[in-house]
Amino acid sequence: MPAVSLCCRICATEHPLDATGTCSRCFGPLDPTYDWDALRARVSRASIEAGPQSIWRYADLLPVAAPEVARLAPGMTPLVPAPRLAEELGIGELWLKLDTANPTHSFKDRVVAVAARKAQELGLDTLSCSSTGNLAGAVAARAAAEGMEAAVFVPSDLEPEKLAAAAVYGPRIYAVAGTYDHCSRLSVELSFELPWGFVNVNLRSYYAEGSKTLAYEIAEQLGWETPDAVAIPIASGALFHKVGQGFAELSALGLVDGTPALFGGQAAGCEPVATAFRENARVVPVRPSSIARSLAIGNPADGDFAVTTARATGGAIHTVAEDEIGSNMAHLAATTGVFGETATGVTLGALKAAVAAGQIGPRARVVLLVTGDGLKTPGPVSDTYDPIMIEADADAFLDEVLIA
Ligand SMILES: Cc1ncc(COP(=O)(O)O)c(C=O)c1O
Ligand SMILES: [Zn+2]
C-alpha cells in the first residue's frame, strides 16, 4: 500500500494513517499522501489493465489495500455515447458515465468501499454515516456484504424510495428531525464518543479518495484520453474536487496528456458553492430547500475546494432552476434511455448552462456523470405520463389507432 500518511490540505501537517477526520492543528481536511516515486515505477496502463474489473484495479492509487475477496465490488461502470443528446445540445460528443450500475445504484458505492476497507484495517466493526440518501444505502449494503453493523443518520423527510432502498439491507436508521446539516453535525459529535467508522467523518480522508476512480475509469475507457469537459453534481464538493485530483494524478503519472475542464451543478434551492464561484468569495452556508435532495447540503465541507478546482481546470459551477430538474431528467431519459436521479437533472442543467455560456464549444468531447438512479427519486417526473386507457379488445384498439 503506497499511502504513507495523512496530510492537512491547509497547513500541510502530517498525521498517521488512522481514523482522524481533521487536522489536529487547524481542523483542515486531511488527504492521504503517496510515495509518487514508487508509484511512477510501478503503475502503468498495462498494470492497471491487468487488474480486476472494479475500482480495485486502481488500488495502487488508493489509501487502502485491495480486499483479498472483493465482495460487491463497485466501479468499471459503463461509459456510453449519447449521440442524439449531443446533437441537440450542439456539442461534438457526449458520453454518459453510468454509475447507476454500481451495487446500490449510485457513485457512493465507490467511496464506501474504500472507507469500509479502512474500517476493517482498523478493526472497527460498525459503519456509519450522515446521508442525503444514497450514502445510507451504500453504507448499509456494504455492511451487509462484509458482515458489519450499520447505523445511518438521515433527514426525517427523506424520499420514501431512498429510505426503502437503504432499509432493506437491515441497518439501524436514525431519522433526524432537521436537515442533512443537522445529521452531519450530530455524526461529528458522535464520532468523538463511539468506536464506529463514520465513513464521511473520521474515515472521510479515505472515503473521498474513492471518487478519484471515476476520473481514472473515464480516461481508461476513452482509450487513455481525457475528455474536454466533465459535468458533475455538487453537494459537499468532495466528488467534484476528487475527480479533479484523479485526472491531475493520471497526468502527473504520464498516463494521459492534459486534464479536462470540470463543470459543476447545484440546484437553485441549495447553491452555496455555485454562489461562491459566481461571487468569487468563500462559501457561505445556506438552509437548503430543493427537490434535488441528494445535493441538499447547506454547509458543504469541500465547497471552497470545489470552487478552486473549477477555476484551476478552466471550468465553472452553474445553478440550475428547481423547475428545470424534472424536465432535464425527462430530457435525458427520452434522448438516451438513461433515467438519472434529481442530481442528474442538475448535472444536465449545468452542462446546458455551460454550452449556452460558450464555455463548452461545438466540437467538445464531454462526459456527464450519472451519479444516481431516477428510480430512487421518481417524484419530479411522476406527472409526465398520461397512459391511454383502453379496453382489452383488438378491434377497438385498431379503430382507435387508425383514427388517431
Ligand atoms: C447522486 C449523488 N450525486 C452527487 C452527490 C454529491 O456528492 P458530494 O457530496 O461528494 O459533492 C451526491 C451526494 O450525496 C449524490 O447522492
Ligand atoms: Zn492543518
Side-chain angles (χ1 to χ4, degrees):
M1 185 185 58
V4 287
S5 66
L6 296 179
C7 182
C8 176
R9 215 182 283 167
I10 307 290
C11 77
T13 299
E14 304 250 350
H15 296 68
L17 286 161
D18 56 18
T20 318
T22 51
C23 175
S24 53
R25 266 183 65 189
C26 77
F27 298 110
L30 302 175
D31 289 312
T33 57
Y34 298 86
D35 180 345
W36 286 101
D37 289 336
L39 288 177
R40 258 185 289 274
R42 190 164 69 232
V43 179
S44 64
R45 293 177 181 176
S47 73
I48 291 171
E49 285 164 2
Q53 285 295 320
S54 72
I55 62 165
W56 298 116
R57 69 206 276 110
Y58 309 106
D60 280 334
L61 304 172
L62 295 172
V64 293
E68 271 158 36
V69 183
R71 302 177 191 90
L72 274 185
M76 288 310 272
T77 56
L79 181 71
V80 299
R84 290 180 57 215
L85 184 53
E87 196 177 333
E88 279 192 24
L89 296 177
I91 55 179
E93 280 177 39
L94 178 63
W95 296 78
L96 306 177
K97 181 64 171 158
L98 301 183
D99 253 20
T100 47
N102 280 317
T104 68
H105 315 276
S106 90
F107 88 97
K108 296 287 185 182
D109 290 313
R110 297 175 183 273
V111 286
V112 172
V114 178
R117 193 79 193 102
K118 187 67 194 179
Q120 289 171 325
E121 281 179 16
L122 295 171
L124 305 173
D125 52 21
T126 299
L127 276 190
S128 187
C129 68
S130 52
S131 171
T132 57
N134 285 312
L135 184 58
V139 162
R142 175 56 49 198
E146 304 289 347
M148 301 172 81
E149 297 292 315
V152 300
F153 299 87
V154 296
S156 56
D157 61 348
L158 196 64
E159 296 106 324
E161 295 85 358
K162 284 240 171 89
L163 207 52
V168 70
Y169 302 108
R172 267 167 291 150
I173 299 184
Y174 296 99
V176 177
T179 66
Y180 169 82
D181 298 286
H182 292 99
C183 303
S184 173
R185 208 176 318 142
L186 175 62
S187 64
V188 170
E189 281 176 36
L190 294 175
S191 72
F192 295 115
E193 308 295 332
L194 297 169
W196 292 0
F198 287 84
V199 299
N200 52 349
V201 184
N202 54 5
L203 299 176
R204 188 174 180 85
S205 313
Y206 310 96
Y207 156 98
E209 291 277 286
S211 287
K212 298 190 307 183
T213 59
L214 269 161
Y216 303 155
E217 286 178 22
I218 289 168
E220 185 180 350
Q221 289 170 322
L222 289 176
W224 296 107
E225 285 184 11
T226 51
D228 298 308
V230 184
I232 305 171
I234 293 179
S236 77
L239 167 67
F240 190 85
H241 173 71
K242 288 289 176 175
V243 167
Q245 188 180 320
F247 281 115
E249 288 177 355
L250 289 186
S251 173
L253 285 168
L255 299 180
V256 296
D257 290 325
T259 53
L262 302 189
F263 291 89
Q266 292 216 290
C270 183
E271 51 156 350
V273 188
T275 305
F277 180 86
R278 208 167 41 239
E279 297 179 355
N280 210 359
R282 288 182 67 82
V283 168
V284 178
V286 300
R287 191 180 170 90
S289 171
S290 172
I291 59 161
R293 305 297 307 277
S294 55
L295 304 183
I297 297 185
N299 189 8
D302 288 296
D304 289 319
F305 300 102
V307 171
T308 306
T309 298
R311 290 204 201 290
T313 62
I317 301 173
H318 290 285
T319 298
V320 177
E322 290 290 325
D323 63 3
E324 260 185 53
I325 295 171
S327 55
N328 282 339
M329 290 165 70
H331 189 194
L332 179 74
T335 51
T336 70
V338 171
F339 186 18
E341 70 145 76
T342 46
T344 308
V346 172
T347 315
L348 179 55
L351 172 54
K352 289 178 178 176
V355 173
Q359 295 161 340
I360 295 180
R363 284 204 299 276
R365 176 193 254 191
V366 181
V367 173
L368 182 139
L369 302 191
V370 182
T371 53
D373 196 317
L375 288 174
K376 287 195 211 172
T377 64
V381 292
S382 57
D383 61 356
T384 57
Y385 59 86
D386 191 12
I388 302 161
M389 307 302 286
I390 59 166
E391 301 298 327
D393 181 308
D395 288 336
F397 175 75
L398 290 171
D399 283 350
E400 154 88 28
V401 169
L402 294 175
I403 291 164

